[in-house]
Amino acid sequence: MGSLDTNPTTFPTDVDSFQPLNADDVRSYLHTSVDFICDYYKSVESLPVLPAVEPGYLRRLLQPAPPTSSAPFNVTMKELREAVVPGMTHWASPNFFAFFPSTNSAAGIAGELIASAMNTVGFTWQASPAATEMEVLALDWLAQLLRLPPSFMNRTGAAGRGTGGGVILGTTSEAMLVTLVAARDAALRRSGSSGTMAGITRLTVYAANQTHSTFFKACHLAGFDPANVRSIPTGEETNYALDPAKLLEAMQADIDAGLVPTYVCCTVGTTSSNAVDPVGAVAEAAARFNAWVHVDAAYAGSACICPEFRHHIDGVERLMTCLDCTCLWVRDTHRLTGSLETTPEYLKNSASDSGAVTDLKDMQVGIGRRFRGLKLWMVMRTYGAAKLQEHIRSDVGMAKMFEESVRADERFEVVVPRNFALVCFRIRPHGGGGAMTEEDAEEANRELMERLNKTGKAYLAHTVVGGKFVLRFAVGSSTQEERHVRSAWELIQKTTTEMMKGEI
Amino acid sequence: MGSLDTNPTTFPTDVDSFQPLNADDVRSYLHTSVDFICDYYKSVESLPVLPAVEPGYLRRLLQPAPPTSSAPFNVTMKELREAVVPGMTHWASPNFFAFFPSTNSAAGIAGELIASAMNTVGFTWQASPAATEMEVLALDWLAQLLRLPPSFMNRTGAAGRGTGGGVILGTTSEAMLVTLVAARDAALRRSGSSGTMAGITRLTVYAANQTHSTFFKACHLAGFDPANVRSIPTGEETNYALDPAKLLEAMQADIDAGLVPTYVCCTVGTTSSNAVDPVGAVAEAAARFNAWVHVDAAYAGSACICPEFRHHIDGVERLMTCLDCTCLWVRDTHRLTGSLETTPEYLKNSASDSGAVTDLKDMQVGIGRRFRGLKLWMVMRTYGAAKLQEHIRSDVGMAKMFEESVRADERFEVVVPRNFALVCFRIRPHGGGGAMTEEDAEEANRELMERLNKTGKAYLAHTVVGGKFVLRFAVGSSTQEERHVRSAWELIQKTTTEMMKGEI
C-alpha cells in the first residue's frame, strides 16, 4: 500500500537539461529585446516606410531549413536586424499615413509582455480568476469612458448582476461573427425553425455599401445566403453614411417577401472615408423588425472617449447590443453564450456551476484565450483618461490642420468632410487652372500616391468613394508629431508640382 | 499654386504633448517589466497554483472607475503585484498539471515582445513583406521538422510555386472554422447549389465523440445543421480513437439518405485522454466520398518533430488538407482563399495583383493580423531542432516515469495507455484490498482532486473517459523539472493515504 515515500527511487536525479525559461536566458534575451526596441523606435523615422523588397526576398537571405543546433541569441537578433527589419512596412513610423494607424504605447507593450510571460489561458474564470476579472473590469472602465449605458456593463449594482457585459476579441471580424451567429440563432428560433438550419436561407442582413469587407466575410462564414446580404447604396447626400429610410425600405421589402430581417451592421467611422452611420435612427428602424444591431466602431470608437465626439454614438442606448473596438459589449450576454457555450467535462468546475462567474470562452470563436485585459487596464491605469483624450484630440487636431492645408491649395480638394483623424483628398480634376478630366485625375492621383510611397518618406493608401479615386491620409501613428504631418504635406505639394511640370 | 513652402504657417510649432512611445518611457517601462518577469518566474514555484480567491475579488481591490490623471508606472506595477498576481492561476508554475501546459520560452517571449513593439498589421504582403514572408518561412521550417509532404509547403521548387501553404492562426478553433467553411462551399458547389446556402442542411460532418468541443462549436458557427454533425462513438477497444469502420458506415448511411459527407475531423492526441485517431485510415475513408479531412494536432503535433512520434501522423500524405497546432497547413490554398478572399479598394496593390505574393488575410477569419511568425521563427532559430526534440522527450520521459509510479502503487490505475505527456489515472475502484464501488471511486477521485488543488501545491484537472471519472496529469509546463513531478506524486500518495485513513 502506498505511503509518503513508496516510489521515490522511480525517478532518477535531475540531469542538466534544456530549460526554455532558464532565468539567465529570460533576463538576457528580454533586456536585449528591449534595447533593440528602443533602438528601433529611435531609427524608425529614418527608415523607408514601405520597403523596396521583391517577393521572396527573405528566403534568399535566411536559411531554407531549420538549424539542428542552437545558436547564441545574438545571432538571431543579428538576422532580425539585417534580414527582417529591411523588409518591414513600418507601421510604427511617424511617416505612416496608410490604412488606419496601429496605435501603441509603452504601457500597452509592457502589458502584452507581462501577459505573454505569464501565459495564462483564461477560458474559464477558474482557469485564471485574475485574467477574467481584469478583462471584465477593463471593459467596464472603458465603457465608462465611452459613457455607454450601464446596461452594457458587467458591474454588479445594488440590484445584483445584470445581463450586460463584454469580451475582448482578437479582431473586429470575430465580434461580427459571434454576434451574427447569436442573431442568426435567435431569428431561427423566432421564425419557428429552432434546432435546424433549414430556415437560414430566409434570414437577411443589412449594411451600408461602405461597411468594411470583413462584415460580408463574416456573413459568409456564418452561413447567410449571399442573396440575402443587403449592401445598401450610399451617396454624397449622406456623406456615404447609411440612410435609415433606405434601410427601412429594404427591410420592409424583405418582410413582404416572407424573409426575416436579422441583423444590421452600423459603422461609426468607415474604413474607406470615415462615414458615420446614424446609430439612433438605424437602431430605431431595426427595432421595428426585431433585428440585432451591431455598431462597428473599430476605428472611431476610441475617439468617443472625448465628450465632443460622443454624439457619434448617440442612440447606443436603444441597442440590443454592441460597440466594438476589439472590445465587444452586449446588453444581454446570454444571447451570446446561448449560441456559443461548450462545456466539455475537463472544463467543468464548481465556480462555473455556481453561476457567480463569467466564463469568457463562451463569448468568442475559440476556447483558448490570452490575457488581453491586462494591457487595456495598464494603459488606462498608467495614462489616465485625460491623457488618452488629449492624445485623441492631438491626432484629430493634426488631421484638421492637414485638411486646412489641402483646402488652401487650389490644386487639391477634400472629397468628404473629415470626421476624425482621416482626410480623404485628391488632386482636383478641374482645379489649378488646367482642364483635367475625371479620368486624368484618377491617373494623376494614382501616380502621386505611387511616387510618394516610393520615396520611403511617407506611406498613404487610397480608396474609391462615389466613383472617385481618393488618397487617404490617416493621422495617428503613435510616434507622430506635427512636424511629420507638415513634412508629408510638403512632400505631397512638391511631388505634385514636379508631376505637373513633367508629364501631366 | 502650391509650392514647397505654401502653407507651413498653417501648423503651429510642436507643443510638449503626450507621447505614448516616448523613448524614456519605453525603456523604463519595459526594463521594469522584464525585471518583474524574472522575479515572477523565480517566485512562481512557491505561489499557490490555483488561487484561493472568491468571484469579484479584483473589483474589491481596484478602483471601480478609470482614473482621470496619469500615474507613475510603478503604481500600476504595484497594483499588478498586489491585486493581479494573487488571483492568477499560475500556468507558468512547475506545479501546474491541469489541462495542457501552456508552453513558453525566453526566445518565444522575446519574439512576441518585438512583434508587439513593431505592431505591424500584415493583412497583405505589401502591408508588411517581412511579416508575411517570415510566417511562410517559419511554417515551412516547421513542416520540415514534422516531415510533412512537400505538397503542404510554400517553398517554390524548380517547377515553380505549388498550391500548398500555411497560415498561423490564433486558435485551433479558427483553423477548424476556416477549413469547415472552405469544405462547406466546395460541397455546395459539388452538389449543385453553388451561390446559395439552400443545400446546407444536406451537408454532414464527422468526428469521434472524443473530439474537442471546439469542433462542434465551429460546425455551429459555420451553419451546419445540428442534426448533421455526427459524433461517432468510441470505446476502450480503440482506446477512444475514431474507428474508421464506424466512420465509413456513418458516411455510407448518409450517402444512402441523400446527404453529402463534407468534412472529417481527425485528432492526434485528444484533450480528454490523448487518443490518436488513425490519420491514414480516416483519410482513406474520407477520400471515397470526397470529404475534407482536417487533422487537429493542437497538442500532440509538436511531439511529431521527434522521429519516434512521427508515425502518429502517418497518412498525412493522403490528405486534402491540414495539420494544425495553431499552425494550419493545406495542400491547396486556393480552396481557402476561394472562400475567404475579400479585397476592398484600399487593400488593392500591385504586388497582390501580380499574383507573386501570398496575402494571409485570405486564409483566416478576420483581416487584421499580428506578426505571429516572428516568435515561431525565433524559437526554432535560437534553440535549433535538437533542443526542441530534447525538450519534447524530456516531457514525455517525465510523464512515463509518473505513469510507472502510478502502476507501481496498487491503489491506483492508469486508465488509458499514455501516448505523449498526459497520464490519465485514478484511484482504482476495487484496489487496495478494499471494496470500493465505481460510484465510491468517482467520489474518492473527485475528493482527491479537490484536496490536491486546495493545497496550492499542484493543480490537476479531470475528465470522464468511458464513463469513468479520471484525473489528468499533464506534464510539460516550461518551468517543470523532474523534482516537481516527483513532489506532485508524493503529494498524491500522501493525500490518498490521509483520505483512506479518514472518511473513506
Side-chain angles (χ1 to χ4, degrees):
Chain A
M1 275 255 228
S3 78
L4 190 65
D5 289 310
T6 306
N7 298 303
T9 52
T10 314
F11 299 98
T13 40
D14 289 345
V15 291
D16 181 38
S17 64
F18 169 47
Q19 296 180 315
L21 289 175
N22 172 290
D24 292 340
D25 290 349
V26 170
R27 190 174 296 277
S28 113
Y29 293 10
L30 296 186
H31 282 305
T32 300
S33 300
V34 173
D35 291 338
F36 165 85
I37 289 167
C38 293
D39 291 346
Y40 175 73
Y41 283 140
K42 211 163 146 186
S43 67
V44 70
E45 177 169 1
S46 63
L47 301 174
V49 196
L50 199 61
V53 295
E54 292 299 314
Y57 94 96
L58 190 67
R59 197 173 288 269
R60 289 186 284 272
L61 295 176
L62 298 179
Q63 302 168 47
T68 300
S69 334
S70 55
F73 190 61
N74 282 339
V75 172
T76 305
M77 292 303 289
K78 184 169 182 284
E79 292 187 6
L80 173 67
R81 273 191 302 271
E82 293 177 3
V84 179
V85 173
M88 298 286 294
T89 298
H90 298 290
W91 287 66
S93 166
N95 302 315
F96 183 96
F97 301 100
F99 312 116
F100 282 137
S102 124
T103 52
N104 212 350
S105 67
I109 303 170
E112 187 70 43
L113 168 59
I114 292 168
S116 56
M118 289 178 154
N119 215 20
T120 190
V121 183
F123 32 57
T124 58
W125 179 87
Q126 194 212 33
S128 198
T132 298
E133 298 204 5
M134 182 54 94
E135 184 159 331
V136 165
L137 181 76
L139 285 165
D140 276 3
W141 275 23
L142 189 52
Q144 290 174 70
L145 288 183
L146 290 167
R147 292 190 290 140
L148 287 189
S151 56
F152 285 93
M153 293 170 64
N154 293 279
R155 237 181 352 179
T156 311
R161 196 162 167 269
T163 59
V167 63
I168 308 184
L169 301 173
T171 58
T172 305
S173 317
E174 187 176 355
M176 289 175 174
L177 179 59
V178 295
T179 51
L180 275 165
V181 167
R184 180 195 75 189
D185 293 348
L188 288 172
R189 275 194 303 274
R190 273 206 312 278
S191 58
S193 46
S194 188
T196 161
M197 292 291 163
I200 199 170
T201 52
R202 290 178 51 225
L203 309 186
T204 53
V205 299
Y206 308 81
N209 65 359
Q210 297 297 306
T211 304
H212 197 286
S213 61
T214 204
F215 170 69
F216 302 100
K217 184 174 180 175
C219 293
H220 183 70
L221 289 167
F224 286 92
D225 208 287
N228 295 355
V229 178
R230 312 266 172 261
S231 173
I232 298 175
T234 57
E236 216 168 342
E237 67 287 359
T238 60
N239 287 322
Y240 303 97
L242 181 58
D243 179 345
K246 285 191 188 156
L247 172 65
L248 259 181
E249 203 179 305
M251 292 176 116
Q252 188 58 56
D254 285 333
I255 287 278
D256 296 344
L259 301 174
V260 184
T262 301
Y263 187 103
V264 183
C265 181
C266 184
T267 308
V268 176
T270 60
T271 303
S272 191
S273 69
N274 260 354
V276 176
D277 294 339
V279 177
V282 167
E284 201 169 324
R288 292 204 204 171
F289 303 101
N290 220 351
W292 185 298
V293 178
H294 177 80
V295 179
D296 173 19
Y299 167 69
S302 47
C304 300
I305 67 169
C306 299
E308 66 270 32
F309 298 117
R310 173 56 173 72
H311 68 274
H312 288 300
I313 53 169
D314 279 354
V316 80
E317 299 75 14
R318 298 192 52 91
L319 294 189
M320 290 163 61
T321 182
C322 273
L323 208 81
D324 167 7
C325 55
T326 319
C327 298
L328 170 69
W329 288 273
V330 290
R331 246 190 10 208
D332 184 358
T333 55
H334 300 123
R335 301 281 298 269
L336 280 184
T337 57
S339 277
L340 302 175
E341 187 180 341
T342 54
T343 306
E345 185 62 35
Y346 40 85
L347 294 182
K348 288 184 183 158
N349 66 81
S350 52
S352 297
D353 291 346
S354 76
V357 301
T358 305
D359 288 336
L360 293 172
K361 70 178 170 55
D362 297 329
M363 294 169 70
Q364 60 175 22
V365 166
I367 308 288
R369 56 200 330 280
R370 296 185 299 126
F371 188 0
R372 292 198 188 98
L374 187 63
K375 64 182 163 185
L376 180 57
W377 173 76
M378 283 180 70
V379 165
M380 291 186 283
R381 182 69 191 95
T382 306
Y383 299 125
K387 275 209 170 150
L388 297 174
Q389 289 171 342
E390 176 193 328
H391 185 56
I392 297 280
R393 287 179 183 133
S394 153
D395 287 350
V396 173
M398 289 193 280
K400 194 156 177 270
M401 285 183 291
F402 181 86
E403 180 193 23
E404 282 161 11
S405 303
V406 172
R407 289 193 193 280
D409 185 331
E410 61 177 8
R411 299 175 300 174
F412 295 93
E413 67 177 352
V414 173
V415 180
V416 288
R418 183 197 49 75
N419 280 317
F420 302 100
L422 171 71
V423 181
C424 290
F425 73 107
R426 61 170 185 166
I427 297 176
R428 185 197 293 276
H430 301 290
M436 208 188 281
T437 63
E438 276 286 344
E439 269 176 24
D440 288 345
E442 168 158 352
E443 191 48 40
N445 281 294
R446 196 183 287 277
E447 170 83 13
L448 174 59
M449 179 177 75
E450 282 167 12
R451 285 196 187 199
L452 290 169
N453 291 350
K454 254 185 211 145
T455 63
K457 291 178 186 161
Y459 178 25
L460 277 73
H462 75 282
T463 191
V464 171
V465 182
K468 298 171 187 165
F469 183 96
V470 169
L471 301 181
R472 295 171 74 267
F473 190 87
V475 173
S477 153
S478 298
T479 53
Q480 225 151 52
E481 300 169 27
E482 286 174 16
R483 62 190 173 93
H484 302 107
V485 175
R486 186 164 51 228
S487 297
W489 173 240
E490 287 165 4
L491 182 68
I492 291 166
Q493 289 187 305
K494 179 169 161 276
T495 310
T496 304
T497 301
E498 285 168 6
M499 273 172 55
M500 290 190 170
K501 275 188 193 149
E503 48 293 61
I504 297 180
Chain B
M1 273 253 231
S3 78
L4 192 64
D5 290 310
T6 305
N7 298 304
T9 51
T10 314
F11 299 97
T13 39
D14 289 347
V15 291
D16 181 37
S17 64
F18 169 47
Q19 297 181 314
L21 290 175
N22 171 290
D24 291 340
D25 289 349
V26 169
R27 191 174 297 275
S28 114
Y29 293 10
L30 295 186
H31 282 304
T32 300
S33 301
V34 173
D35 292 337
F36 166 84
I37 289 167
C38 294
D39 291 346
Y40 175 73
Y41 284 140
K42 212 163 146 187
S43 66
V44 70
E45 177 169 0
S46 64
L47 300 175
V49 196
L50 199 61
V53 294
E54 293 298 315
Y57 93 96
L58 189 67
R59 197 173 289 268
R60 287 186 284 272
L61 295 175
L62 298 179
Q63 302 169 46
T68 300
S69 335
S70 56
F73 190 61
N74 283 339
V75 172
T76 304
M77 292 302 289
K78 185 169 182 282
E79 292 187 4
L80 173 67
R81 274 191 302 271
E82 294 177 3
V84 179
V85 173
M88 298 284 296
T89 298
H90 298 290
W91 286 65
S93 167
N95 303 314
F96 183 95
F97 301 100
F99 311 116
F100 283 137
S102 126
T103 53
N104 212 351
S105 67
I109 302 170
E112 187 70 41
L113 168 60
I114 292 168
S116 57
M118 288 178 154
N119 215 20
T120 189
V121 184
F123 33 56
T124 58
W125 178 87
Q126 194 212 33
S128 198
T132 297
E133 298 205 5
M134 181 53 94
E135 183 158 332
V136 165
L137 181 76
L139 286 165
D140 276 2
W141 276 22
L142 188 52
Q144 290 174 70
L145 287 183
L146 291 167
R147 291 190 292 139
L148 287 190
S151 55
F152 285 93
M153 293 168 65
N154 292 279
R155 236 182 352 182
T156 311
R161 195 161 168 270
T163 58
V167 64
I168 309 184
L169 301 173
T171 58
T172 305
S173 318
E174 187 176 354
M176 289 174 173
L177 179 60
V178 295
T179 52
L180 274 166
V181 167
R184 180 196 74 188
D185 293 348
L188 287 172
R189 276 193 303 274
R190 274 205 313 277
S191 58
S193 44
S194 189
T196 160
M197 292 290 163
I200 199 170
T201 52
R202 290 178 52 226
L203 310 186
T204 53
V205 299
Y206 308 82
N209 64 0
Q210 297 296 305
T211 305
H212 197 286
S213 60
T214 203
F215 170 69
F216 301 102
K217 184 173 179 175
C219 293
H220 183 70
L221 290 167
F224 286 92
D225 207 287
N228 295 355
V229 178
R230 312 268 172 256
S231 172
I232 298 175
T234 56
E236 215 169 342
E237 67 287 357
T238 59
N239 287 322
Y240 304 95
L242 181 59
D243 179 347
K246 284 191 188 156
L247 172 66
L248 259 180
E249 202 181 304
M251 292 176 116
Q252 189 58 56
D254 285 333
I255 288 280
D256 295 345
L259 301 174
V260 184
T262 300
Y263 187 102
V264 184
C265 181
C266 184
T267 308
V268 177
T270 59
T271 303
S272 190
S273 70
N274 260 353
V276 176
D277 293 340
V279 177
V282 167
E284 202 168 324
R288 292 205 204 170
F289 303 101
N290 221 351
W292 185 298
V293 178
H294 177 81
V295 180
D296 172 19
Y299 167 69
S302 48
C304 301
I305 67 169
C306 299
E308 67 271 32
F309 298 115
R310 173 56 173 72
H311 68 274
H312 287 301
I313 54 168
D314 280 354
V316 80
E317 298 77 16
R318 297 190 53 90
L319 294 189
M320 288 162 60
T321 181
C322 272
L323 209 82
D324 167 6
C325 53
T326 318
C327 297
L328 170 69
W329 288 275
V330 290
R331 245 187 15 205
D332 185 357
T333 54
H334 300 123
R335 302 280 297 270
L336 279 185
T337 56
S339 277
L340 302 175
E341 189 179 340
T342 53
T343 307
E345 185 63 36
Y346 41 84
L347 294 182
K348 287 184 184 158
N349 65 82
S350 53
S352 299
D353 291 346
S354 75
V357 300
T358 305
D359 288 335
L360 293 171
K361 70 178 169 56
D362 298 329
M363 295 169 69
Q364 62 177 20
V365 167
I367 310 288
R369 54 199 330 280
R370 296 185 299 128
F371 187 2
R372 292 198 186 96
L374 188 62
K375 64 181 164 185
L376 179 58
W377 173 76
M378 283 180 71
V379 165
M380 292 187 283
R381 182 71 191 93
T382 306
Y383 299 125
K387 276 212 169 147
L388 296 175
Q389 289 171 342
E390 177 193 326
H391 185 56
I392 297 280
R393 287 179 182 130
S394 153
D395 286 350
V396 173
M398 289 194 280
K400 195 157 176 272
M401 285 184 291
F402 182 85
E403 181 193 23
E404 283 161 10
S405 305
V406 172
R407 287 193 193 282
D409 185 333
E410 60 177 9
R411 299 175 301 176
F412 295 92
E413 68 176 354
V414 173
V415 179
V416 288
R418 182 197 49 76
N419 280 317
F420 302 100
L422 171 70
V423 181
C424 290
F425 74 107
R426 63 170 183 166
I427 297 176
R428 186 197 291 278
H430 302 289
M436 208 188 282
T437 63
E438 274 288 344
E439 268 176 24
D440 288 346
E442 169 158 350
E443 191 48 41
N445 281 294
R446 196 182 286 278
E447 168 83 14
L448 174 58
M449 179 177 76
E450 281 167 13
R451 285 195 187 201
L452 290 169
N453 292 351
K454 255 185 212 147
T455 64
K457 292 178 185 162
Y459 179 25
L460 278 72
H462 75 283
T463 190
V464 171
V465 182
K468 298 170 188 166
F469 184 96
V470 170
L471 300 181
R472 296 171 73 267
F473 190 86
V475 173
S477 152
S478 298
T479 51
Q480 225 151 51
E481 300 169 27
E482 285 174 18
R483 62 190 173 91
H484 302 108
V485 176
R486 186 163 55 228
S487 298
W489 172 241
E490 285 164 5
L491 182 67
I492 291 167
Q493 288 188 305
K494 178 170 162 275
T495 309
T496 304
T497 301
E498 284 168 6
M499 272 172 55
M500 289 188 170
K501 275 188 193 150
E503 53 284 64
I504 298 180

